[in-house]
Amino acid sequence: MKKLILLLILIGSFQAKAQFGKDPIVNLENWDKQRVYWGYYLGMSYYDFKFEYEEPGKDILVDNGLGFNVGLIGNLRLTEYFDLRFEPGLTFNQRDLTFPGFADEADALREVKSTYLHFPLLLKFSALRTGNIRPFLIGGVSTALNLSSNVNNKQDNSNNVFRMAKWTNFYEVGIGIDLYLEYFKFTPSLRGVFSYNDELIRDNDPNSPWTGNVGTMQTRGVFLNFTFQ
């Protein structure tokens, strides 16, 4: 068994050297010359909230959890170095908010579960390909439909209902690296997403202890995606 494991490691190292070493075997040589191609991605997301307040005071605490992303990719080649990408996807996430000034934890704590339909339109700038590696920068804008939004609910935090806007707009910026394997292109990438509109639906009482002092509430997050094309 030990000899078999050692043999597999040696074979893997030889394969890696052949594909990503000094003089690699060039895979998918004409891949990037396609006018249009498709793919899909899987990944993880980490969402947070950025709060701005009307008056100085204690911060609302945000407990963030890891979420899950899945989606499709449509790529349009513009030039040798620029591509236009549309990446519709679905993201799942939960953030727990703890509001200051409450003795009862049930009043202070709000669980914010979000399921977003995410629609990014992005411009990708790729560096010169070296062997089977090609790093890139990517950025653009996106809009997202919050399927968990309860914007039309007449109840509010006084009834333990935390409300958010249905649509959110973002700008996005990220980096990644295309790895050209024998049969497909694999791409890990890291991206920041930043909302530029207020997502909070205020309580019916303008002096609400939950929302009365909040000037704006905006999502910000990080995506770690793994793309297969």
Side-chain angles (χ1 to χ4, degrees):
M1 181 62 71
K2 291 181 180 179
K3 291 181 179 179
L4 179 59
I5 293 173
L6 180 60
L7 179 60
L8 291 174
I9 292 174
L10 288 174
I11 292 173
S13 65
F14 285 135
Q15 287 283 348
K17 184 176 180 181
Q19 294 192 27
F20 302 107
K22 185 176 180 181
D23 297 308
I25 299 171
V26 178
N27 299 320
L28 306 176
E29 189 171 359
N30 296 315
W31 179 270
D32 291 331
K33 295 180 181 179
Q34 299 177 88
R35 182 66 172 170
V36 177
Y37 59 84
W38 310 92
Y40 67 93
Y41 65 86
L42 304 170
M44 297 177 291
S45 60
Y46 179 86
Y47 276 111
D48 193 5
F49 279 126
K50 177 184 177 183
F51 286 96
E52 298 287 345
Y53 301 100
E54 298 288 352
E55 299 291 341
K58 292 185 178 180
D59 289 336
I60 299 170
L61 301 181
V62 186
D63 184 15
N64 312 296
L66 283 177
F68 176 71
N69 315 323
V70 61
L72 303 174
I73 293 175
N75 191 96
L76 174 64
R77 183 176 184 263
L78 301 177
T79 69
E80 183 178 357
Y81 298 103
F82 286 94
D83 297 87
L84 186 65
R85 298 175 74 109
F86 181 53
E87 300 185 358
L90 192 63
T91 69
F92 307 89
N93 197 272
Q94 178 173 326
R95 289 157 284 185
D96 294 337
L97 303 181
T98 303
F99 290 85
F102 291 96
D104 189 345
E105 184 179 353
D107 290 331
L109 181 64
R110 292 292 181 267
E111 294 181 353
V112 184
K113 297 179 180 180
S114 301
T115 301
Y116 289 108
L117 276 175
H118 199 64
F119 303 101
L121 185 62
L122 307 166
L123 186 65
K124 176 184 176 185
F125 169 68
S126 302
L128 185 66
R129 176 174 173 173
T130 303
N132 291 313
I133 297 175
R134 194 175 192 188
F136 63 85
L137 300 174
I138 194 166
V141 295
S142 61
T143 188
L145 172 62
N146 187 353
L147 299 177
S148 304
S149 171
N150 47 10
V151 61
N152 295 320
N153 195 327
K154 300 301 182 183
Q155 296 181 324
D156 60 15
N157 279 290
S158 61
N159 303 105
N160 200 22
V161 177
F162 184 84
R163 298 180 296 180
M164 289 179 61
K166 181 173 289 188
W167 288 95
T168 307
N169 299 311
F170 299 90
Y171 66 88
E172 307 190 12
V173 60
I175 59 173
I177 184 167
D178 289 327
L179 303 175
Y180 299 81
L181 306 180
E182 186 174 358
Y183 298 109
F184 63 93
K185 185 168 71 171
F186 173 68
T187 305
S189 65
L190 189 66
R191 190 182 310 167
V193 296
F194 307 92
S195 169
Y196 55 86
N197 63 277
D198 184 15
E199 299 172 64
L200 180 65
I201 303 299
R202 270 65 182 178
D203 291 340
N204 301 322
D205 179 5
N207 298 314
S208 164
W210 292 276
T211 64
N213 194 40
V214 178
T216 59
M217 183 188 76
Q218 298 170 311
T219 290
R220 55 187 179 182
V222 177
F223 289 175
L224 175 62
N225 285 339
F226 301 98
T227 300
F228 303 85
Q229 297 171 319

